[in-house]
Amino acid sequence: MEIDGTVRATEKSHRGFELALAGARVVSRAAVPLPLGVVDKVGADLNTRLDHRVLDLRKPAVRAIFELRSALLAGFREAFLHRGFVEVETPKLLRQGAEGGATLFSVAYFDRPAYLAQSPQLYKQMLIGAGLERVFEIAPAFRAEPSDTVRHITEFTSLDAEVGYVDDPEELRGLLEGIVADSVGATRSVLEASGNPLAAGLPRLELPFPRYSFATCEGWLGRPGAGRDFGTEEEKAIGERVARESGAPFYFLTDYPTSVKAATFYARRRDDDPGSTYYFDLDFRGLEIASGGLREHRLDPLLANLASAGLDPGSFAGYLEAFRYGMPPHGGWGLGIDRLVQALAGLANIRESRLFPRDRYRLDP
Ligand code: ATP
Ligand code: MG
């Protein structure tokens, strides 16, 4: 609807003005009834909302999430560029996966199979070998997640970073927490300036974020030395314990045991304790947001890790070549943007953090 008229001050309206209408034209006629109310007083269930996502996105409260998301991405880019990182783009059609075969999507690539990238892991490491010392990428990642959860989708946006000449995971954690704090701070400024109600929910972050070792958390859970990864409920219990210990929204879980990272062949095992790695997670109130650590940069231990993960080095020829001609110590992380938006906007389901989410059952709209 397009309308003309004159705006006049009046005490009769609670806004203090009224419009004296001179003319009105229908620009585009909407079919009735709407499948979803644009003013949604009843609160349609998420599936119905996603089935009619264009109408759903017209609601100011839904649009506010994507304004937050846009500000957050801009904040990340600025925080990375400010620290001397170069933004890169790596292939999403691959000959092999990096994160384990179970979650690979295969595609028919002319006369042979190919896979959709689960992460840019191998390529960002190759770029360190190429002499790009600090790289980051914000790009889609695809995982055939068989489980139907509120924190997994099949297409998500991964924010990846890789840093050369790093020998201490603490340096990576320092970079990551600084970048997260800067990006969340920049997001708050943008949202406050535009009057976005989600600004009020953004946490005020203090550096450094607390660090708890994997072994400490196992002790809290009463399963010392179990050496298997934390499940969803255990992650939540750790989040509740951290809330009592420090009250910090973001915290690191450090020193993951090798048994948990056995399939992560590129994760560097500790030199002084091969049963432990230089790997960590960044969590937000019981939700995993990022995983990272030092990578194995020496060819022989890397080949040994591939063998013990039961992988064929022949499938990784291009990757391995990068290690043959000089590869500095390096490390990095992968951070799920959708999970971070879910956390910062206080969303019950990760699907609400994407415009058109994809999951096991949803390919439309
Ligand atoms: P989880 O244990 O929660 O399944 P992961 O450890 O398998 O996650 P990573 O391989 O560490 O995931 O990926 C890095 C980050 O990417 C995760 O910390 C998370 O934020 C995000 N991520 C991974 N898989 C998904 C997914 N299916 N949907 C949304 N985000 C994801
Ligand atoms: Mg992880």
Side-chain angles (χ1 to χ4, degrees):
M1 183 85 98
E2 203 174 67
I3 54 177
D4 318 307
T6 315
V7 179
R8 287 194 299 237
T10 170
E11 280 167 14
K12 279 185 253 162
S13 152
H14 71 280
R15 296 222 167 128
F17 60 87
E18 66 179 9
L19 184 73
L21 204 60
R25 285 167 302 282
V26 173
V27 177
S28 172
R29 198 170 288 279
V32 283
L34 298 178
L36 186 74
V38 173
V39 181
D40 183 15
K41 291 213 180 86
V42 218
D45 72 275
L46 185 57
N47 253 327
T48 310
R49 289 177 44 204
L50 294 177
D51 283 344
H52 307 284
R53 188 58 157 164
V54 170
L55 288 181
D56 187 49
L57 288 166
R58 287 187 189 172
K59 294 179 227 159
V62 178
R63 210 159 47 228
I65 298 166
F66 296 94
E67 286 158 10
L68 180 155
R69 189 176 170 116
S70 165
L72 185 68
L73 288 174
F76 269 119
R77 286 204 160 86
E78 192 182 298
F80 274 109
L81 297 174
H82 175 71
R83 287 169 175 80
F85 281 75
V86 171
E87 181 164 5
V88 298
E89 292 152 291
T90 63
K92 302 302 155 208
L93 283 167
L94 305 181
R95 206 161 78 80
Q96 82 285 310
E99 309 296 324
T103 65
L104 276 173
F105 278 117
S106 52
V107 290
Y109 194 73
F110 303 103
D111 54 352
R112 57 195 161 139
Y115 301 100
L116 294 180
Q118 297 158 306
S119 90
Q121 182 60 37
L122 306 185
Y123 286 93
K124 59 182 180 165
Q125 290 189 258
M126 289 157 77
L127 292 175
I128 297 298
L132 280 96
E133 243 169 70
R134 292 183 154 206
V135 294
F136 77 101
E137 175 166 11
I138 301 178
F142 304 93
R143 295 195 193 177
E145 298 283 357
S147 51
D148 190 15
T149 79
V150 295
R151 48 212 250 144
H152 291 96
I153 36 183
T154 50
E155 178 181 34
F156 66 97
T157 300
S158 187
L159 185 152
D160 277 86
E162 203 68 24
V163 188
Y165 298 95
V166 174
D167 224 359
D168 181 353
E170 194 46 42
E171 199 179 317
L172 295 173
R173 290 191 283 267
L175 266 172
L176 174 53
E177 66 189 350
I179 287 169
V180 167
D182 284 2
S183 310
V184 173
T187 304
R188 178 182 304 100
S189 306
V190 170
L191 299 193
E192 277 172 356
S194 65
N196 188 314
L198 295 173
L202 294 178
R204 302 215 169 250
L205 302 179
E206 276 173 37
L207 295 178
F209 300 163
R211 283 114 166 101
Y212 303 98
S213 73
F214 191 93
T216 300
C217 298
E218 287 203 304
W220 288 346
L221 297 171
R223 41 160 269 196
R228 57 177 163 76
D229 207 355
F230 303 125
T232 306
E233 291 312 312
E234 289 174 325
E235 272 175 19
K236 280 190 194 148
I238 294 168
E240 283 159 19
R241 177 68 185 251
V242 171
R244 292 200 297 277
E245 296 273 328
S246 72
F250 286 101
Y251 49 93
F252 287 104
L253 308 181
T254 67
D255 304 287
Y256 268 66
T258 303
S259 56
V260 174
K261 295 290 169 192
T264 311
F265 63 86
Y266 47 82
R268 181 160 152 201
R269 283 61 168 147
R270 278 191 80 93
D271 298 327
D272 53 355
D273 173 11
S276 185
T277 69
Y278 297 100
Y279 257 57
F280 55 83
D281 272 10
L282 175 69
D283 282 31
F284 179 93
R285 297 185 179 136
L287 178 69
E288 177 188 324
I289 301 291
S291 284
L294 292 184
R295 323 296 190 188
E296 183 51 73
H297 63 286
R298 299 155 299 183
L299 187 58
D300 288 339
L302 186 58
L303 289 170
N305 291 351
L306 270 170
S308 57
L311 294 166
D312 170 19
S315 317
F316 295 89
Y319 171 69
L320 292 171
E321 186 186 276
F323 292 77
R324 212 157 264 137
Y325 306 109
M327 176 67 90
H330 62 280
W333 64 81
L335 179 152
I337 287 289
D338 316 85
R339 285 220 189 142
L340 186 56
V341 171
Q342 181 186 7
L344 295 177
L347 306 174
N349 195 313
I350 192 170
R351 290 162 180 77
E352 292 184 74
S353 74
R354 286 190 78 84
L355 291 169
F356 299 102
R358 294 286 178 257
D359 63 29
R360 184 172 182 175
Y361 305 103
R362 182 174 292 282
L363 265 175
D364 274 307

